[in-house]
Amino acid sequence: MSLAVAVAVVMFVGITLYALFAGADFGGGFWDLFAGSAERGADARALIEHSVAPVWEANHVWLIFVLVVLWTAFPRAFGPIMSTLAMPLTLAAIGIILRGSAFAFRKASIPVETRRFFGAVFALSSVLTPFFLGAVVGGVASGRVPATGTGSLLRSWVNPTSMLGGAMAVVVCAFLAAVYLSADAAARGRADLTDYFARRAIGAGVVAGVVAAVGVVVLHADARHLFHHLTGRALPFLLLSVAGGLGTLALVRARQFGIARLSAALAVVAVLWGWAAGQYPYLIVGRLTITAGQGAHATLEALLGAVVVGLLVVAPALAWLLLLTRRGELVEENAHQN
């Protein structure tokens, strides 16, 4: 494995972690949006808030990590992607800002109307942000980003593959969140909320399967290079994803939520790495390979060294944060503060 490929693998690990953690975070906002009236959805929204509050800021560390690695290690890809896909990337950035601000202001607001306003902003931006990020992936994967960075600002992300990527991102986020929230509700002894989110996890899983089936047709017609490799060397990953998804549905029905968390994560990880295998060796499909897009050798070496040092500092803190959240200790602390 070359140094450039090693750095690309590290970057894709960051993408995977962002999808798993921030994906469930966005999915919480999805279910907040569709929880119903203030009275009927109060308990569901309270659980979402308690599950998201301790970790939502930390989850976006991985997006920053991915952008820094792409900018530093592959500047010939960073420039064209950022310029051609400026519109969906800007909309996603605005969505992340609005979402975080609204989430914080809703907790601090007392008037009901103000809380409802910030709640609506939080929920709506939680749906739109992953859609735009998925559209960016579709633009890159379908080869609509020229290496010169002079691609169409509109057609690069308003196209069948990008719409598929956006829809799949939203559905997958909702699926992950529903599975995780089912487990959280069960851990808190809330049988009513456990059933509530379990039904939504199964529904979202079925919808994800339908979208994936439609995606086969879309990719065959609109992204032939990616389709060819997804049905070739990437096929084992996709089959693993299907097995993980079906296993999750069975585990949720059997109320085995702890294992269901892992199988849901496996389904998402497998489809992401299937995409990576299908796109390899390109950073931008059909336009720029990993080797052609790499920066200076010394830069790559320094970057990998910095990643190792950074992980030694940050990883234990993140692991401790997740452990405390899983135990519910940070939730109790927030409750006392409120």
Side-chain angles (χ1 to χ4, degrees), residues 53-314:
V55 296
W56 69 273
E57 291 170 301
N59 288 339
H60 291 285
V61 165
W62 298 110
L63 178 60
I64 298 169
F65 173 82
V66 170
L67 291 175
V68 170
V69 173
L70 179 61
W71 178 15
T72 307
F74 304 105
R76 295 184 183 90
F78 182 87
I81 291 173
M82 291 297 153
S83 56
T84 298
L85 295 168
M87 289 180 67
L89 286 168
T90 301
L91 292 171
I94 292 172
I96 291 172
I97 294 169
L98 288 178
R99 182 175 183 277
S101 303
F103 185 73
F105 291 148
R106 181 173 70 170
K107 288 173 66 68
S109 298
I110 296 177
V112 174
E113 292 77 13
T114 307
R115 288 182 59 85
R116 284 178 176 170
F117 171 74
F118 284 124
V121 173
F122 163 72
L124 193 59
S125 55
S126 295
V127 175
L128 294 178
T129 302
F131 175 82
F132 290 127
L133 292 175
V136 168
V137 171
V140 174
S142 61
R144 287 183 165 89
V145 179
T148 56
T150 55
S152 169
L153 291 176
L154 194 60
R155 291 194 300 275
S156 60
W157 66 282
V158 181
N159 58 72
T161 303
S162 289
M163 295 302 103
L164 171 67
M168 182 59 83
V170 172
V171 174
V172 167
C173 290
F175 172 64
L176 273 179
V179 173
Y180 291 179
L181 288 167
S182 299
D184 288 348
R188 291 178 172 83
R190 292 294 305 269
D192 54 339
L193 289 177
T194 303
D195 292 340
Y196 176 91
F197 282 111
R199 289 194 298 272
R200 280 150 182 78
I202 293 172
V206 171
V207 172
V210 172
V211 174
V214 173
V216 172
V217 179
V218 171
L219 293 179
H220 181 268
D222 191 61
R224 296 301 294 270
H225 176 92
L226 183 62
F227 176 83
H228 173 72
H229 289 297
L230 284 177
T231 53
R233 63 187 177 218
L235 188 59
F237 289 101
L238 301 187
L239 294 177
L240 182 60
S241 179
V242 171
L246 293 175
T248 302
L249 299 185
L251 289 165
V252 169
R253 282 183 60 85
R255 297 296 190 266
Q256 299 297 319
F257 297 110
I259 306 176
R261 277 179 183 267
L262 300 177
S263 61
L266 173 65
V268 175
V269 171
V271 77
L272 285 172
W273 283 86
W275 162 43
Q279 182 165 324
Y280 182 83
Y282 289 103
L283 284 171
I284 304 174
V285 171
R287 310 284 185 165
L288 189 71
T289 64
I290 294 172
T291 302
Q294 67 179 320
H297 190 81
T299 302
L300 301 185
E301 289 181 330
L303 178 64
L304 280 182
V307 168
V308 172
V309 174
L311 286 177
L312 290 175
V313 175
V314 175

Side-chain angles (χ1 to χ4, degrees), residues 307-329:
V307 168
V308 172
V309 174
L311 286 177
L312 290 175
V313 175
V314 175
L318 289 176
W320 184 241
L321 174 64
L322 293 174
L323 180 62
L324 292 177
T325 303
R326 183 73 184 277
R327 290 176 178 173
E329 296 181 18

